[in-house]
Structures are given as C-alpha cells and as structure tokens.
Amino acid sequence: MRKTYILEELDCAHCAGEIEAAVGKLEGVTKSTVTFLTQKLTIEVDDAKADKITKEIKKVVKKYEPDVEVVEK
C-alpha cells in the first residue's frame, strides 16, 4: 500500500534525508521517499502495518525536525 504524508514546515534538506532513511528502516516499510521541495513523504508499506505506521513516522520526524507537522494526505 502506498501512503503519502505532508511534512509541514520542513526546512532542512539534510534532515529530510535522515527522515527518509529512518522511515525506510521501520518495520513493514519497503520504500521511503522524501521530496524536500514539495515537503512530501511517500512510503510503500505492508497492508498489515499500514494502520499503525503513521504513529511511528511521527516519532521519527519529531526526532529530526521537532517543529514539523506530519499530515496524512
């Protein structure tokens, strides 16, 4: 399943790369892409993990960018 999130107020390209890598390591995530210019995070996730993954993504994002809001699209 593909899910897309908006990373509101993302203003650090390096942090975007760190977020992309960390989200890609979460259980059930097979692909993670952060597009810095559009502030979008797109993931491919196992259907069984899709409902719980948003909470984990928010934790990862807060670790690297505490001021960024994660909004599911």
Side-chain angles (χ1 to χ4, degrees), residues 1 3 45-55:
M1 168 183 287
K3 295 187 88 158
V45 62
D46 296 337
D47 290 347
K49 303 284 183 183
D51 292 335
K52 298 179 182 177
I53 200 71
T54 300
K55 185 176 178 181

Side-chain angles (χ1 to χ4, degrees), residues 33-48:
T33 305
V34 174
T35 306
F36 177 67
L37 291 176
T38 60
Q39 299 181 335
K40 285 186 183 177
L41 165 64
T42 305
I43 62 167
E44 294 285 336
V45 62
D46 296 337
D47 290 347

Side-chain angles (χ1 to χ4, degrees), residues 1-64:
M1 168 183 287
R2 177 179 282 196
K3 295 187 88 158
T4 302
Y5 301 89
I6 304 299
L7 304 177
E8 293 180 347
E9 305 299 323
L10 179 66
D11 61 3
C12 172
H14 175 74
C15 298
E18 295 290 332
I19 291 168
E20 178 178 279
V23 169
K25 294 177 184 174
L26 293 175
E27 185 178 339
V29 175
T30 56
K31 184 178 180 183
S32 169
T33 305
V34 174
T35 306
F36 177 67
L37 291 176
T38 60
Q39 299 181 335
K40 285 186 183 177
L41 165 64
T42 305
I43 62 167
E44 294 285 336
V45 62
D46 296 337
D47 290 347
K49 303 284 183 183
D51 292 335
K52 298 179 182 177
I53 200 71
T54 300
K55 185 176 178 181
E56 295 300 314
I57 288 172
K58 287 181 179 183
K59 285 182 188 177
V60 168
V61 171
K62 291 297 179 190
K63 177 180 175 183
Y64 294 100

